[in-house]
Amino acid sequence: MVKFLDLGKVNNRFRAEIDERIASVLDKGWYLQGEENDKFAEHFATYCGTKYALGVANGLDALRLIIKAAGFGVGDEIIVPANTYIATILAISDNGCTPVLVEPDVKTYNINPDLIEAAITPKTKAIMVVHLYGQAVQMEKIWEIAQKYNLKVFEDCAQAHGAYYQGKRVGNLSDAAAFSFYPGKNLGALGDAGAVVSNDKELIDKVKALANYGSDRKYHHIYKGLNSRLDEIQAAVLDIKLPLLDEDNARRREIAKYYRENIINPKIILPQIYDELAHVWHVFVVRTQERDKFQQYLSEQGVQTIIHYPTPPHKQLAYQEWNNRSYPITEEIHNTVISLPISPVMTADEVKQVVEVVNAW
């Protein structure tokens, strides 16, 4: 069986060091907002190229906190891709803002910059981009639009740790950015974890207070905040794994290149890229009109797959007020995508097996 993602194998590479650091945290008896958080935040900010980073409880909270810290709320609109995981949209509506959905470019699956300007109204406050599947959004036109209309730009980097655009890493392409370190991410914790990165100290300081019950110091609450803190053990694990992230991403690129050069089944639509370094291949997504049959076939041949994602946000019960809307490009993507196995611990034989099985369908 070729596993979609063997997290045990991924994390066992760090087992001895993880055991040592966890023991150190236990011995210190300090489990929140301590040295491990400070260390990881410093290292992750340096990695992203930003001045500041702050660990939070998860990626959704990172997005929620950015919007909250920016002061946006009821009556404010935020432009967001129609083709994304629902968390991006939940963060907007959770703050009382109105998500304005914009269709993707079918070649990259990311938001189509050419469609953004038509979605802007006097209520628009920000553009939230998502570097979906691991490929950085082409930001040039988005920056131009944001400047023209005096809009904030936020990034959802949950799937794109380490991807580049014009020589800068994602996270350093906007006013503020959110990361998820869910265990299956390119940089994954051993549970839920997230971070906010930015070059704006005022925003980071506000996020820090908001994430700690709205408190800037103990028992002194200046905002109506929430509880969203990265614990010391997860910060330690992430700090151990961070130095290997670029190497892991390079291996993902090797596998993706092999797939793209050797999968020749005409029923399969392969992903497109515009720059090798812009994509870190969190998932390798292909499309086919016979998705369910294809997935069943792969399972029978010993290849695990996942669908990212079967139902678009505007067709979910959570947003039933949108259920009658039509976003045809988004719907076509969600009806046809399927993700093949890709991870830095896949063997050459496993990669070759996936290609052979796909081509034999």
Side-chain angles (χ1 to χ4, degrees), residues 77-96:
E77 296 177 352
I78 297 179
I79 290 171
V80 65
N83 181 46
T84 184
Y85 182 56
I86 198 170
T88 321
I89 296 170
L90 288 171
I92 297 170
S93 58
D94 185 66
N95 275 285

Side-chain angles (χ1 to χ4, degrees), residues 218-242:
K218 198 170 182 67
Y219 302 135
H220 186 255
H221 304 272
I222 55 177
Y223 307 115
K224 295 173 183 175
L226 55 146
N227 175 18
S228 181
R229 300 174 295 199
L230 178 64
D231 72 68
E232 288 286 276
I233 287 177
Q234 299 302 346
V237 169
L238 291 166
D239 198 52
I240 290 165
K241 297 173 75 173
L242 179 59

Side-chain angles (χ1 to χ4, degrees), residues 35 78 109 122 128-129 173 193 199 207 223 242 254 280 311 314 318-319:
E35 293 176 2
I78 297 179
Y109 306 124
M128 176 81 78
V129 301
L173 306 174
N199 293 307
V207 168
Y223 307 115
L242 179 59
E254 288 176 359
V280 292
T311 306
H314 70 279
Y319 290 101

Side-chain angles (χ1 to χ4, degrees), residues 79 100-102 112-121 124 145 149:
I79 290 171
V100 177
L101 308 188
V102 171
N112 188 338
D114 294 333
L115 302 179
I116 291 176
E117 198 161 6
I120 293 173
T121 76
T124 306
I145 294 169
Y149 292 93

